[in-house]
Amino acid sequence: MNSNKAFHSIPFIVLLALLRWMNPVSVLPLDVTESTRVDMDYLMSLNEVKSHAGTLITSIIQHYFAQCQSCVPTGDIPVHDSSAIMYLFHPEVYKTTPFHLRVECTGTFTCGMMVAYDPSSKPGLEVCNVALEVNANKFKSIYKEAVCALQQYLN
């Protein structure tokens, strides 16, 4: 396979992600992605779309749901991966603020932790956008609309 053909086979989402490198890096902390959760009722509403896309996505999430059910007694699961994709296409769903971040590389208890600094406290350091919260209802609405639009695209 020549390199030109390989480039054209890259999915659109990957190309979009590659283009976003020009913008400041964005971070979606785990506590923010944890706050977008889906339950079985929401999952079944995706299946009601009555489409191949809805059925496929429901099946994939049901598999994930079954895997997590034993460790998540609340009856709902977070959608971490979908959160990253949602941020690429709809960053307005997230409230972000600029911070300078660095990873703590020493310390018995802090090694690997991320430390955030207000950019004004350390001028000149590179800044990234950190998500502080997500509008989970808007997230779910856009997600469901995307499932419907995917079916129209596939037709």
Side-chain angles (χ1 to χ4, degrees):
M1 178 188 292
N2 67 39
S3 61
N4 194 23
K5 185 171 180 170
F7 181 79
H8 291 295
S9 67
I10 297 174
F12 178 75
I13 184 75
V14 174
L15 289 176
L16 183 62
L18 290 173
L19 293 175
R20 300 266 311 175
W21 73 270
M22 294 182 285
N23 294 330
V25 170
S26 296
V27 176
L28 300 176
L30 191 60
D31 58 335
V32 173
T33 62
E34 278 278 340
S35 65
T36 305
R37 306 179 76 80
V38 298
D39 58 15
M40 194 55 83
D41 290 338
Y42 179 77
L43 192 59
M44 290 301 108
S45 77
L46 292 179
N47 203 27
E48 290 170 6
V49 173
K50 300 285 187 220
S51 68
H52 296 297
T55 303
L56 174 64
I57 291 170
T58 301
S59 297
I60 291 169
I61 297 176
Q62 274 181 323
H63 175 74
Y64 175 55
F65 205 94
Q67 296 293 319
C68 292
Q69 203 58 19
S70 60
C71 57
V72 182
T74 59
D76 56 9
I77 56 171
V79 284
H80 302 295
D81 297 344
S82 299
S83 294
I85 294 169
M86 182 67 74
Y87 185 81
L88 282 174
F89 288 102
H90 293 280
E92 73 278 3
V93 173
Y94 297 86
K95 177 183 175 191
T96 62
T97 193
F99 278 108
H100 164 68
L101 294 181
R102 74 177 177 84
V103 176
E104 181 66 44
C105 297
T106 60
T108 304
F109 301 108
T110 59
C111 187
M113 294 181 76
M114 200 173 289
V115 181
Y117 297 100
D118 181 338
S120 63
S121 70
K122 295 189 179 254
L125 294 176
E126 196 167 325
V127 172
C128 66
N129 292 320
V130 178
L132 301 178
E133 60 186 67
V134 59
N135 181 335
N137 290 331
K138 187 171 183 179
F139 178 105
K140 291 177 190 179
S141 175
I142 292 171
Y143 193 90
K144 192 169 185 177
E145 288 172 20
V147 171
C148 293
L150 179 59
Q151 184 57 42
Q152 292 173 352
Y153 175 78
L154 293 174
N155 287 337

